[in-house]
């Protein structure tokens, strides 16, 4: 079973930046389109952005225009994907997770990493 460990979250002021990491326990990045998801308090988990095995990046339809401040990348050799988040806003406060886009998460969810945007 694949496990994910997300890290890099924290407290940041509006306009600041963070870089999140997600390490997978197995080599799956060249097999699946991987996505970063987030869940804000009281809201459903939503897909933010994803990266395909060949490196094409996408944003969820509902996220287009909202998350161009975010950039997803990956390091296949280390089974890790990243999310660079710039110009953070209060509404970006959420727990961020990674998982496959297929099935909106084929594998067990990790604990996520908390991002809090506050002044």
């Amino acid at each position: 079973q694949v496990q994910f460990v997300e890290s890099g979250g924290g407290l940041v002021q509006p306009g600041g930046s963070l870089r999140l990491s997600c390490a997978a326990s197995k080599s799956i990045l060249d097999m699946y389109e991987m996505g970063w998801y987030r869940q804000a308090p009281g809201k459903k988990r939503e897909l933010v952005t994803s990266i395909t095995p060949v490196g094409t990046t996408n944003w969820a339809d509902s996220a287009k225009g909202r998350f161009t401040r975010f950039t997803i990348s990956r390091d296949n050799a280390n089974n890790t994907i990243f999310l660079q988040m710039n110009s953070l806003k209060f509404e970006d406060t959420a727990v961020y997770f990674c998982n496959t886009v297929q099935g909106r998460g084929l594998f067990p969810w990790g604990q996520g990493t908390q991002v809090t945007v506050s002044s």
Side-chain angles (χ1 to χ4, degrees):
Q1 190 65 285
V2 178
Q3 295 179 323
F4 300 111
V5 178
E6 297 92 351
S7 62
L11 175 64
V12 62
Q13 292 185 340
S17 298
L18 281 175
R19 187 178 190 234
L20 308 184
S21 300
C22 169
S25 61
K26 295 184 179 180
S27 299
I28 63 168
L29 300 190
D30 57 350
M31 298 171 60
Y32 297 98
E33 182 175 4
M34 295 297 299
W36 277 100
Y37 297 77
R38 74 181 192 183
Q39 186 166 17
K43 296 186 177 181
K44 294 182 179 179
R45 183 150 42 201
E46 63 174 340
L47 176 65
V48 174
T49 185
S50 63
I51 187 165
T52 69
V54 296
T56 302
T57 59
N58 300 292
W59 284 266
D61 287 344
S62 62
K64 286 180 180 177
R66 294 168 54 202
F67 299 123
T68 52
R69 301 170 287 118
F70 296 174
T71 303
I72 188 171
S73 60
R74 67 180 191 184
D75 179 354
N76 283 8
N78 290 298
N79 304 319
T80 303
I81 64 170
F82 305 96
L83 184 66
Q84 176 68 42
M85 304 189 296
N86 299 324
S87 302
L88 283 163
K89 304 177 180 181
F90 292 118
E91 53 263 40
D92 295 320
T93 295
V95 181
Y96 287 73
F97 304 86
C98 66
N99 212 313
T100 64
V101 172
Q102 182 179 347
R104 294 191 68 83
L106 286 178
F107 303 110
W109 294 93
Q111 292 193 337
T113 186
Q114 175 71 49
V115 172
T116 302
V117 184
S118 175
S119 56

